[in-house]
Amino acid sequence: MPRVIELNVNGVARPVNAGPERSLLSVLRDELDLTGAKYGCGEGQCGACTVLLEGEAVRSCITPLSRAAGKHITTIEGLEQNGRLHPLQETFLETGAMQCGYCTPGMIMSGVSLLAKSANPNDGEIVHGMQGNICRCGTYPRIVAAVRMAALRQKTAGRTA
Amino acid sequence: MTLTRRDFLSTLGGGVVVLCVVEAADAQESGRRARGGDAHPQEISAWLHIGEDGIVTAFTGKVEVGQNIRTSLSQAVAEELRTPVAGIRMVMGDTDLTPYDMGTFGSRTTPTMAPQLRKAAAAAREALIDLAASKWGVDRKAVQVEDGRIVAVGRSAGLGELTGGKQLVHKIGADVTLAPAAEWKIAAHSVAKVNGRDMVTGKHRFPSDVKRDGMLHGKVLRPVAFGARLANLDDAAAKQIPGVTVVREGEFAGVAAPDAATSERALAALKAEWKTEEGQPSDSQLFAYLKANAEAAEDRQAQGSIEQGMADADRKLSGTYTVAYIAHTPLEPRAAVAEWNADKLTVWTGTQRPFGVREELAAAFGIPQERVHVLMPDMGSGYGGKHSGECAIEAARLAKAAGKPVKLVWTRQEEFTWGYVRPAGVIEIASGVKKDGRMTAWEFHNYNSGPSGSQITYDIPHHRIQFHPSKSPLHQGSYRGLAATANHFARENHMDEIAQALHLDPVEFRLKNLKDERQRAVLAAAAEKFGWGKQKPAEGRGFGVAIGFEKGSYLATCAEVAMEGGKPKIVRVVQSFECGAVVNPDHLRNQVEGAIIMAIGGALFEQIRFENGRMLNPRLSQYRVPRFADVPVIETVLVDRKDLPSAGAGETPIVGLAPAVANAIFQATGKRPRSLPMAV
């Protein structure tokens, strides 16, 4: 039966009335109106639903609410700080790393997670780290360039994700 | 049938309005309607409004599906209005606000819509200059529009400041002079995606993100197989669930509930009995089935006599090629939110044909089109796969029964199974050639996959190219580039075989049979960048080349393939592309790169498997699409022809990869792949 579960989303406590088996994706989108994370496959294969749990990328479509409760959840909506985009959001824009943009939030969240683990990834590591995210428009080379450029920018700015 | 111009004008305030109305018979094939003969003349209209607040709004029925046309159309308006792109607002694909449009397909937006918007903007600029000249009492030659302002010596005004509360309406036709491409200052440049910031912040609302007050979530009961009929439905258990509405209308059954989890539960609680149609064809018999069910052929291109051409030949070759069904797999599946207010239906949905979907909705509910409003927010791509309105109709059925707005988002499995697929096909070629490499005969038959891109740019004195429609076991429709991928795969693969048979260099052999200067130019450009002929491939590797022409664009593709554990790995691709005057170089490169990457899937591993009316791999865990690790080094050469009108570029860059890779695989292995996909 539904009960109130408290989620910590983008630094804000958000009580939701939903069962612990509900997917984090459906709760974010339908209950909290955070629609940046997308449905793409429902089986963790495409990465469109990627959000961060304690800074680490997870596929929210196969993450039950019970696993997310009590943890820090970051969605694409929470990346911008005080009107300032995250370096990876900036470099996605600068490299034109999108066409339709539907995969973009998930790509950026996977990239942020990757950069948190590896501050200076080479192209092979970026490809390996992003392999679970699909872009059907085929902007992969630009996404690799965006991640590489953001890594460089973070290094020079001394800012971490 | 369409929003009347009077209605439109009454919705706008003061300012300058330009209506560009051009009657045009646009008989471009849309794949799904190819055989329906739906070629009645349609307007290709564009409207433009400059408000008193100076905001420029352009109205077009075209839609943004990832081809970045919202940006390039903004550039077209900005160019003629001599105004920054940031000052242009585009209203697109909204059946209550924009002029009628047949749909966004066939790479037609750049060649047909961009010129209309440019004309509207040019006419608005001239009208503002006239207005300023008369208000300021100066010669119109002394007035200019610069950087979004109207200026004369000592005077200046914003674009909206001169109309003084009045609405000045200009109706124009096709006879407006436009700036030639060589003089473009805003077009021809790499302007960034206009709503890119909304994409990287998650703010943009795609069709599946639309939310309405009191909205329910829908689910539709799907048959267990194609052609299955609903014999009996026990919905008692589903109806017991609080908040659930069950809808049954003939073969249609679905549920709506306050949240998605409850609607899933309700769907699972429906007990259905199906009457199935057994003995349906399976993929293993597909190609024989398509040949056996072929209809009378249509000549697509014919000249001379094949018999004569074969008699003139020193060598004769023949080959059969096949292509599998593949799925578009747009990352956003079909989605719709439907809402009934009194007798008016409003639907937000992802479609390449908002006006077509309006027509489908009006027909489904027996209401006039004026009472249906379709809105298309920039969607999560389509690739030719979202021409139809089935999801919109389903959402509207559920919403009508529930008396509340309903959102319906197809699952990935539904998208694979109940959308439509790229046609599979069989292609047979017979050819004749002189010892010196001059072609004498070319006979080409395409069964089922389609005629697009089957025409030749080679000079072959005797040729006949035919398309044979057939009966498709799966529901098939348009796909990016239509059949051009299949036809280029077969033709360029066969041309390579001829070159190999005669021990001729594949580039030299092609040039020997090509007079078309544009085709020769792209081939030379790609060969040079690739370093064709400069070195031999390493052991286990091969080089391949292919050329192509379709929808007004030319391309040439060179590929390097490495065999790894018996499977081909595409290492490097060089593609030259020429589509007339380039509108946005960076977005064009993005389209070319993206099309090459999308093409890798169909070339190497994508394939819909089916048996007796059931899909066998309708999931992303079972149907492999290109991922990061599949991407080769890609080098794009844009051949910019400022002296030629701009053609569309969303589709044709996809056609060269598969044949270039096939030819590279042949060089690496000595075995010629004749079926797509090649690496399964």
Side-chain angles (χ1 to χ4, degrees), chain A residues 22 29-30 33 38-40 43 45 76 80 89 93 96 98-99 102 130-131 134 136-138 140 142, chain B residues 66 193 197 200 205 208-209 211 261 328-329 383 411-412 590 593-594 597 620-621 626-629:
Chain A
R22 281 276 298 276
R29 290 177 56 80
D30 298 339
D33 203 26
K38 307 297 182 201
Y39 169 84
E43 52 172 347
Q45 289 285 323
I76 189 75
E80 191 178 340
Q89 291 174 305
L93 289 175
M98 70 196 83
Q99 284 179 20
Y102 193 78
M130 303 291 288
Q131 183 70 354
I134 290 172
R136 286 294 288 144
C137 300
Y140 297 123
R142 287 161 181 256
Chain B
K193 188 176 179 77
R197 194 183 164 100
V200 302
R205 295 268 170 166
S208 56
D209 298 331
K211 193 170 188 179
H328 310 77
T329 330
Y383 318 114
T411 62
R412 178 56 56 193
N590 201 345
E593 292 160 8
I597 290 166
L620 277 174
S621 52
R627 291 179 182 266
F628 277 93

Side-chain angles (χ1 to χ4, degrees), chain B residues 601-665:
Chain B
L604 296 187
F605 35 73
E606 285 182 48
Q607 178 178 26
I608 286 287
R609 305 209 45 241
F610 62 99
E611 194 175 272
N612 192 25
R614 292 157 179 88
M615 295 278 192
L616 301 178
N617 56 344
R619 296 172 177 276
L620 277 174
S621 52
Q622 300 164 325
Y623 182 94
R624 170 147 140 64
V625 297
R627 291 179 182 266
F628 277 93
D630 297 310
V631 177
V633 172
I634 297 174
E635 294 158 72
T636 302
V637 187
L638 301 183
V639 180
D640 189 4
R641 287 291 302 268
K642 293 197 188 297
D643 56 321
L644 294 170
S646 308
E651 300 184 80
T652 300
I654 203 171
V655 305
L657 189 275
V661 166
N663 298 339
I665 292 173

Side-chain angles (χ1 to χ4, degrees), chain A residues 98-100, chain B residues 58-78 85 88-93 101 103-115 117-118 191-195 199 351-352 376-379 579 583-584 586-588 590-591 646-651:
Chain A
M98 70 196 83
Q99 284 179 20
C100 77
Chain B
F59 299 81
T60 168
K62 295 292 180 193
V63 295
E64 171 64 57
V65 299
Q67 79 282 46
N68 280 330
I69 206 73
R70 180 181 290 280
T71 303
S72 61
L73 292 178
S74 300
Q75 286 179 271
V77 172
V85 168
I88 314 290
R89 198 168 66 102
M90 297 292 309
V91 174
M92 304 178 73
D101 188 84
T104 305
F105 52 78
S107 294
R108 302 300 297 157
T109 306
T110 294
T112 64
M113 181 51 66
L117 281 169
R118 291 166 61 84
V191 171
K193 188 176 179 77
V194 289
N195 53 348
M199 298 296 172
T351 175
Q352 295 173 247
M376 160 53 194
D378 296 6
M379 72 173 167
C579 56
V583 177
N584 184 319
D586 187 58
H587 287 177
L588 179 56
N590 201 345
Q591 283 301 312
S646 308
E651 300 184 80

